[in-house]
Amino acid sequence: MGRWRVPSTVLVCLLLLCLPPSPACPTACRCFSSGEVDCRAHALQEVPQGLATNISSLWLGYNFITVLEPHSFPALPGLLLLSLPHNRLGLIHPQALVGLGALQELDLSNNYLTVLTPETFLPLTSLAKLNLGSNRLEELEPEVLQSLPKLQALLLQDNPWVCSCDILPLWCWLSHNREKVQEKALLLCRVPEQLNKYPIMAFRNESFRQCQETSLSAQHYLILLTIGPFSFLASIFFCTFMGFITVAYQNMSREPHFWRKPRLCKGH
């Protein structure tokens, strides 16, 4: 049996050759065996390329990322946490988060986001925690939140909320999902001035009664702006036309001078 022994160094070499190669790590990141990838504070302007598909956490905070383009991330079926705070993020394309269906926590705080569409978070069917605090959101469509069926925790503090009648749909959603809203006391109005720093969650149904009775949509205002001048011009044309008809009728009802018989001159 001794002649079949293989030197230990040869065995080690064979094992190393049989092992699959370790996934590459982006140069601006630190990759850990636990599946975490730390790319914080490296002046990145976009999501780094070459991410391994088996990572579980991705930290991208404190960089200079301004836009998440379509398919900014490769398919990451095991990614559970994505952290993007303290960037310059102002736009998220509706297809930017495709391939992150397992994501459970997303931190987008301290960015420049002003608008979010319902399509933005559609791929995130497993998302449980969403942090949108300290952005530039003045309003938020409830459909954006309704596209997250497993959402359990939502942070919206430190945004310049406009507390007009347009915030009624968001207030309704927040009122029916109070248990999901974190830091309720920091969810404050910025505009109008008389409501500056007024807690949104302190509103009641009575606060929006006037909005429900008299509010008009932008489409209604456009219709009114179109109908108003048109009605004014139509009334002028109608009055002018009726005046012309009246004068013509009066002239025709009188006997014209040239219909009268001429008087004959009598001789002296």
Side-chain angles (χ1 to χ4, degrees), residues 1-266:
M1 295 292 294
R3 60 180 179 179
W4 294 104
R5 292 180 182 176
V6 181
S8 57
T9 53
V10 176
L11 285 174
V12 171
C13 293
L14 291 174
L15 289 174
L16 290 175
L17 290 174
C18 294
L19 289 175
S22 58
C25 184
T27 54
C29 307
R30 291 185 300 164
C31 301
F32 302 92
S33 58
S34 60
E36 295 188 18
V37 178
D38 188 352
C39 308
R40 287 176 287 191
H42 278 82
L44 296 175
Q45 297 184 9
E46 59 183 11
V47 178
Q49 302 297 312
L51 292 168
T53 58
N54 62 342
I55 64 175
S56 59
S57 302
L58 179 57
W59 306 85
L60 289 168
Y62 298 91
N63 284 295
F64 300 127
I65 300 173
T66 59
V67 179
L68 289 182
E69 301 285 355
H71 303 282
S72 290
F73 303 87
L76 301 173
L79 188 65
L80 303 178
L81 183 148
L82 175 58
S83 179
L84 279 158
H86 294 279
N87 276 272
R88 298 177 180 179
L89 191 59
L91 178 63
I92 302 178
H93 190 275
Q95 300 295 317
L97 303 176
V98 172
L100 307 182
L103 196 66
Q104 297 181 3
E105 183 174 348
L106 176 60
D107 187 356
L108 297 171
S109 61
N110 293 278
N111 279 289
Y112 299 161
L113 294 171
T114 58
V115 177
L116 292 171
T117 64
E119 296 79 17
T120 304
F121 300 130
L122 274 180
L124 309 182
T125 55
S126 301
L127 195 68
K129 184 176 181 179
L130 175 61
N131 190 347
L132 294 172
S134 300
N135 275 278
R136 298 181 178 180
L137 296 170
E138 296 182 353
E139 60 182 23
L140 183 63
E141 298 180 27
E143 290 79 9
V144 174
L145 305 173
Q146 292 168 359
S147 65
L148 300 171
K150 295 186 178 181
L151 186 65
Q152 298 177 6
L154 174 66
L155 292 96
L156 294 171
Q157 74 283 355
D158 298 327
N159 278 286
W161 300 107
V162 176
C163 292
S164 64
C165 291
D166 293 335
I167 205 172
L168 175 58
L170 176 60
W171 176 83
C172 290
W173 188 94
L174 296 173
S175 299
H176 288 91
N177 296 273
R178 288 178 176 269
E179 73 284 355
K180 300 179 181 180
V181 184
Q182 309 293 307
E183 304 290 348
K184 298 181 181 66
L186 299 179
L187 191 55
L188 306 175
C189 300
R190 180 75 59 85
V191 178
E193 185 177 355
Q194 59 268 29
L195 291 175
N196 186 31
K197 296 185 179 181
Y198 186 83
I200 293 179
M201 301 299 288
F203 286 122
R204 296 292 180 265
N205 281 321
E206 294 76 15
S207 306
F208 297 97
R209 181 172 298 171
Q210 184 177 2
C211 297
Q212 294 170 336
E213 292 175 354
T214 61
S215 61
L216 293 174
S217 66
Q219 185 178 4
H220 291 152
Y221 282 114
L222 181 61
I223 293 175
L224 290 175
L225 290 174
T226 304
I227 291 178
F230 177 79
S231 301
F232 176 73
L233 294 175
S235 62
I236 293 177
F237 175 79
F238 179 77
C239 292
T240 303
F241 177 75
M242 292 303 298
F244 175 78
I245 294 296
T246 302
V247 171
Y249 176 77
Q250 290 178 352
N251 289 336
M252 291 179 64
S253 62
R254 295 175 184 175
E255 184 178 4
H257 294 290
F258 54 83
W259 286 1
R260 295 175 184 173
K261 295 181 180 181
R263 294 180 180 181
L264 300 175
C265 296
K266 297 181 180 179

